[in-house]
């Protein structure tokens, strides 16, 4: 009984993480990659079918796989992510009338940008 409940909880957590990861694609402050990695963790321990679905997903699969195995992304992905991140953050900073929230957004942007820059860059031919 406990294993079934644990499996169900992991599947629910993984599915919630995938949902947050997808939302994070469009909301710059919400981190996408950690949610997808959490989903991989949950699915790996609960459902091989869902794990394979995520790893071989036509949109997210190659990025997740290369991040997990090589800590690497395509150069175009890095550039696009940084542009999208800073566009959203600057728009948010201009809308928000709070210097400490703006400062926090700025720090988050710097941290995420550094993380992206420090990831290994791979060519299309090396990509999954």
């Amino acid at each position: 009984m406990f294993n079934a409940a644990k499996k169900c909880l992991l599947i629910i957590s993984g599915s919630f993480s995938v949902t947050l990861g997808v939302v994070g694609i469009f909301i710059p402050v919400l981190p996408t990659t950690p949610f997808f990695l959490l989903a991989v963790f949950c699915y790996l321990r609960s459902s091989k079918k869902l794990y394979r679905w995520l790893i071989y997903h036509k949109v997210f699969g190659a990025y997740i796989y290369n991040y997990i195995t090589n800590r690497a992304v395509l150069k175009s992905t890095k550039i696009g992510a940084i542009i999208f991140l800073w566009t959203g953050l600057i728009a948010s900073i201009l809308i928000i009338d709070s210097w400490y929230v703006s400062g926090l957004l700025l720090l988050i942007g710097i941290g995420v940008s550094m993380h992206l820059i420090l990831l290994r860059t791979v060519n299309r031919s090396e990509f999954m």
Side-chain angles (χ1 to χ4, degrees):
M1 179 69 177
F2 178 72
N3 284 337
K6 180 180 176 184
K7 181 178 177 178
C8 185
L9 184 62
L10 284 169
I11 289 172
I12 291 169
S13 298
S15 299
F16 186 65
S17 294
V18 168
T19 302
L20 289 175
V22 171
V23 171
I25 292 170
F26 304 102
I27 299 176
V29 179
L30 192 62
T32 302
T33 304
F35 287 119
F36 281 127
L37 295 177
L38 179 59
V40 167
F41 175 86
C42 292
Y43 287 163
L44 185 60
R45 285 154 182 77
S46 61
S47 171
K48 299 296 183 209
K49 182 179 177 181
L50 289 172
Y51 171 77
R52 281 191 301 276
W53 169 79
L54 191 56
I55 290 295
Y56 294 110
H57 191 276
K58 66 180 181 179
V59 177
F60 312 122
Y63 297 101
I64 295 168
Y65 179 81
N66 280 300
Y67 187 89
I68 291 171
T69 58
N70 302 318
R71 302 265 306 155
V73 294
L74 293 170
K75 183 177 183 178
S76 60
T77 302
K78 277 186 183 185
I79 293 169
I82 290 171
I83 290 170
F84 193 69
L85 168 76
W86 283 101
T87 302
L89 286 175
I90 290 169
S92 298
I93 288 169
L94 293 174
I95 292 170
I96 294 173
D97 190 29
S98 171
W99 67 269
Y100 53 88
V101 173
S102 296
L104 180 62
L105 290 174
L106 187 63
L107 289 175
I108 290 170
I110 291 169
V112 171
S113 296
M114 291 305 301
H115 175 73
L116 288 169
I117 290 166
L118 294 174
L119 287 174
R120 193 172 138 246
T121 305
V122 292
N123 297 324
R124 271 265 175 229
S125 60
E126 299 173 82
F127 207 62
M128 179 177 150

